[in-house]
Amino acid sequence: MGLDKGLRSLLSPPQSTDNNTSLTQLPANILEAFIPGYSVISKFLLDALGFDITIVVSVCFLAFALWTAVLYLWKHAYALFQRYGMSSITIESGDDIHEHVMSWIADQQISRDSRSLMAKTGLVSAWDDEADGVDIAGVDIADADEDAFLNFSNWEANVSLRYQPDFGRHRFWHHGSYFEFTREAKQTMDSVYGIISTKETINLTCIGRSTQPIKDLIRECRDRHLDRGKLRTSVRRPATRDMRNRGYPPWVKVAVRPSRPMDTVILDPEQKQNVLADINEYLHPATPKWYANRGIPYRRGFLFYGPPGTGKTSFSFAIAGVFGLDIYCISLLEPTLTEEDLGALFTSLPRRCVVLLEDIDSAGLAHRAGDKEDDKVARSDSTQIGAEIAQALKSVHNKEMNKNTNRGISLSGLLNAIDGVASHEGRVLVMTTNFPEKLDEALIRPGRVDMKVAFTMATRSQIQELFVRMYAPDEPSPRTKPLIASIADNTKLADTRLLGTKAASDGIPTPPSTPRDTTFSLDELEAIAKDFAGLLPDVTFSPAEIQGYLLTRKKEPRRALEEVEEWRDVTLKAKEAKSKVAPV
């Protein structure tokens, strides 16, 4: 009844000025409709304090209504403006562009001024620039005492934090253009496996009907990333089956390593030059047309074979570094990898890259010497008990063989992925093996393997080269001195190191002092290296074995020369006894 009366009084025109209503003083009936009990409260306050709150409440009510209306109009007007007056580009997580943009955003002013940030630990790998000359914890490498134990119990506290814009909308200006950066996380369910996955997307928006400013910004982010990784090689491996089923890219970046210099690979110089010249000609922009005009598939394959530790994988990484290519590593022993997955991985390769198939002789693709014997048994049995029974016995035998071997990827499946009808072109395929005689002839025939490179045990000239490279002084990076000075100004080394007396006072024993050889000139090193190589037999030890020996004496070339005869004799005896453990 009270509400009906209030509505009738609102609709009826005022009869006199005694009603005392205005824009700043709404009728009590309206306030009562929106604020139950208002009349009782207002009467109580009027009687107790002598103050009428109608005007105050009316003004607040009208201000709230006006603000709500403005927000409503602004929301819809901005939505129309976004639809017809702005352009946007969406980037999904898992793509390299997403990583490039997020890295760029993290270093911009938006990540310092925003009121909604996400903090992340700035993990530093062994290859990051921050570790060039200065340790993560702020230890000056040039001044560090090598004869004292270091303590890294609290090194994580010294790792710098990185801040990124949190999920939501952020705004910034760049090169005179207004941009909006929206970060969202969406959950999707796989209809086949019923797995809920979360995908992150970022949306870049700018004013105008052209997306060119956004494209320029993305290109800047990509160029910045490429400039920072010019001397580095990205290593990629197949994504897990679960990730592939959720729609993620088939390849994931697992590491970014410094490009390996070619002169660090112990191999015959002529062989190096032949391989590099062949790949350089193959990657030339005019080569694809030359292949197409002659109907030749645009593919190139190499087989690196030799004993373990002779540098096959190292040479593959050095090739990728020389030509600025990413390296894609595939293990055929991966139990979840099927032939369909292998074909999809090869199909999704970029136009120019290095594909590394390591130890293909151990992946169940080797030629089986017992297959021919099985055929002979089947033919002889067929004359006695019939062809059907012999075939059945052979089938049972094959099933038992398959249980004991890895049959995830068959030889035919690998061949189809390498050079089948739908195989990808433009890549450099490198296969490594320790036992080339075990490989099937179909796998290494010309057209699939275009060049075979033999890796042997270290010759005396290679031993000498390895020795000089091990003890030659490092060339300091131009970033080292200013980086050390910058950290020294802001960090107290005493708080981040446990050296000398501090280590002893904390109960940590101080290691015994080891005499270090003084710096040698290049001529002296070459003389010592020649003597060192003369004490080792030719083509007997692998470069990895010699390098392992030198690493234990990495700053003492004379000690390495003095003790090499003892190490040589012990290692040779272990080789003769086929022992897998020999003292270093």
Side-chain angles (χ1 to χ4, degrees):
M1 292 295 291
L3 181 60
D4 293 340
K5 291 181 180 179
L7 291 176
R8 285 196 298 269
S9 64
L10 178 64
L11 296 176
S12 59
Q15 300 298 324
S16 64
T17 58
D18 296 338
N19 290 335
N20 198 25
T21 60
S22 65
L23 290 177
T24 59
Q25 186 175 1
L26 298 177
N29 294 335
I30 295 180
L31 298 177
E32 182 71 26
F34 288 95
I35 308 175
Y38 169 76
S39 59
V40 177
I41 297 173
S42 62
K43 184 178 181 182
F44 173 77
L45 293 176
L46 181 62
D47 295 340
L49 303 176
F51 176 71
D52 189 2
I53 64 171
T54 302
I55 297 178
V56 177
V57 174
S58 299
V59 171
C60 294
F61 181 84
L62 290 174
F64 175 77
L66 182 62
W67 177 251
T68 303
V70 170
L71 288 180
Y72 177 82
L73 294 175
W74 170 257
K75 179 180 178 180
H76 286 272
Y78 188 73
L80 291 175
F81 179 71
Q82 278 188 314
R83 183 175 181 180
Y84 297 105
M86 301 185 74
S87 304
S88 64
I89 294 180
T90 301
I91 305 171
E92 293 186 350
S93 60
D95 194 285
D96 288 346
I97 300 178
H98 184 277
E99 177 186 351
H100 302 168
V101 173
M102 289 303 302
S103 176
W104 184 87
I105 288 289
D107 294 336
Q108 301 305 309
Q109 192 66 30
I110 179 178
S111 298
R112 294 186 287 270
D113 296 342
S114 179
R115 297 174 57 192
S116 179
L117 296 174
M118 177 182 293
K120 288 189 175 182
T121 302
L123 296 179
V124 180
S125 71
W127 313 114
D128 284 344
D129 293 339
E130 289 79 357
D132 188 7
V134 178
D135 186 76
I136 296 173
V139 177
D140 190 337
I141 294 178
D143 297 335
D145 188 354
E146 297 179 2
D147 294 330
F149 289 118
L150 298 176
N151 188 294
F152 292 92
S153 59
N154 294 320
W155 72 271
E156 295 177 344
N158 297 282
V159 178
S160 60
L161 297 177
R162 293 181 62 86
Y163 296 94
Q164 296 177 349
D166 198 5
F167 294 98
R169 180 176 298 169
H170 307 267
R171 301 169 179 85
F172 65 96
W173 290 83
H174 184 66
H175 291 172
S177 299
Y178 172 80
F179 291 92
E180 286 188 356
F181 172 82
T182 306
R183 188 178 180 188
E184 297 178 347
K186 298 180 180 179
Q187 288 187 343
T188 59
M189 176 177 287
D190 193 313
S191 58
V192 178
Y193 298 92
I195 301 175
I196 299 178
S197 60
T198 301
K199 285 189 176 182
E200 180 181 329
T201 61
I202 57 178
N203 187 277
L204 288 172
T205 307
C206 71
I207 297 177
R209 298 182 61 86
S210 174
T211 58
Q212 191 59 42
I214 307 177
K215 294 178 181 178
D216 295 339
L217 177 60
I218 295 177
R219 187 178 297 107
E220 180 181 339
C221 298
R222 184 198 62 182
D223 294 343
R224 172 181 176 271
H225 176 82
L226 294 178
D227 289 340
R228 296 178 65 179
K230 275 184 177 179
L231 301 179
R232 300 191 178 194
T233 301
S234 296
V235 183
R236 300 176 186 270
R237 292 190 179 275
T240 62
R241 171 173 290 183
D242 181 54
M243 294 179 64
R244 295 196 298 267
N245 292 336
R246 295 184 183 185
Y248 285 92
W251 294 95
V252 294
K253 184 188 296 184
V254 295
V256 179
R257 301 173 54 181
S259 298
R260 178 157 186 166
M262 186 58 67
D263 58 1
T264 63
V265 179
I266 304 301
L267 186 64
D268 181 69
E270 184 177 353
Q271 284 185 308
K272 284 185 187 180
Q273 185 61 31
N274 291 339
V275 173
L276 293 178
D278 185 86
I279 297 178
N280 186 68
E281 182 181 359
Y282 169 74
L283 296 176
H284 193 277
T287 303
K289 185 177 180 180
W290 187 92
Y291 273 74
N293 292 338
R294 289 156 179 79
I296 304 174
Y298 183 52
R299 293 185 288 265
R300 204 70 179 160
F302 297 85
L303 177 67
F304 296 165
Y305 64 93
T310 52
K312 299 182 292 295
T313 303
S314 300
F315 190 39
S316 304
F317 277 91
I319 290 174
V322 167
F323 296 101
L325 302 176
D326 290 351
I327 188 165
Y328 292 73
C329 303
I330 304 178
S331 174
L332 299 179
L333 293 175
E334 171 61 38
T336 64
L337 189 65
T338 63
E339 295 181 5
E340 293 78 8
D341 295 335
L342 185 64
L345 289 172
F346 269 84
T347 303
S348 60
L349 289 171
R351 183 167 181 80
R352 291 182 176 87
C353 65
V354 175
V355 183
L356 179 61
L357 293 176
E358 292 190 276
D359 300 328
I360 56 174
D361 55 274
S362 62
L365 301 173
H367 180 70
R368 299 184 189 295
D371 290 347
K372 296 181 179 179
E373 297 296 330
D374 293 340
D375 294 338
K376 293 180 180 179
V377 172
R379 286 195 296 269
S380 62
D381 289 345
S382 63
T383 61
Q384 300 177 9
I385 58 179
E388 294 183 359
I389 298 178
Q391 187 66 26
L393 292 175
K394 181 180 178 181
S395 177
V396 172
H397 176 71
N398 289 339
K399 289 182 180 179
E400 292 297 326
M401 290 289 293
N402 292 344
K403 291 180 181 179
N404 300 323
T405 57
N406 183 2
R407 304 296 292 179
I409 303 295
S410 65
L411 178 61
S412 61
L414 177 60
L415 297 182
N416 288 331
I418 292 176
D419 62 356
V421 177
S423 61
H424 190 73
E425 296 188 346
R427 80 291 183 279
V428 177
L429 177 64
V430 177
M431 295 184 287
T432 66
T433 178
N434 299 331
F435 306 99
E437 64 277 359
K438 292 185 178 181
L439 301 179
D440 195 288
E441 295 179 358
L443 180 61
I444 58 176
R445 69 162 176 80
R448 293 192 178 109
V449 172
D450 303 287
M451 183 178 293
K452 301 173 184 177
V453 182
F455 288 74
T456 62
M457 293 297 191
T459 63
R460 282 197 171 94
S461 61
Q462 292 174 344
I463 295 174
Q464 185 174 346
E465 178 186 352
L466 181 60
F467 188 95
V468 173
R469 194 186 74 235
M470 176 66 69
Y471 294 107
D474 296 330
E475 295 181 1
S477 170
R479 296 186 306 269
T480 302
K481 291 184 178 180
L483 185 59
I484 292 177
S486 175
I487 292 187
D489 292 340
N490 300 285
T491 307
K492 293 182 179 180
L493 297 181
D495 296 335
T496 57
R497 294 165 50 186
L498 280 178
L499 301 174
T501 56
K502 186 178 189 300
S505 63
D506 291 345
I508 301 177
T510 302
S513 178
T514 303
R516 305 291 182 183
D517 290 347
T518 58
T519 303
F520 292 88
S521 65
L522 184 59
D523 293 337
E524 291 175 323
L525 277 180
E526 289 180 348
I528 299 175
K530 185 176 181 180
D531 296 338
F532 178 85
L535 296 176
L536 294 178
D538 195 24
V539 195
T540 303
F541 297 103
S542 68
E545 289 177 312
I546 299 174
Q547 180 174 279
Y549 168 79
L550 295 178
L551 280 175
T552 59
R553 304 154 180 86
K554 65 179 183 178
K555 296 187 178 181
E556 302 169 272
R558 290 197 181 279
R559 179 189 167 201
L561 176 62
E562 295 169 358
E563 300 178 356
V564 68
E565 291 183 280
E566 180 182 358
W567 174 82
R568 175 199 63 194
D569 297 337
V570 172
T571 306
L572 287 176
K573 289 181 180 179
K575 286 179 177 289
E576 293 176 359
K578 296 183 179 180
S579 174
K580 296 182 179 179
V581 179
V584 179

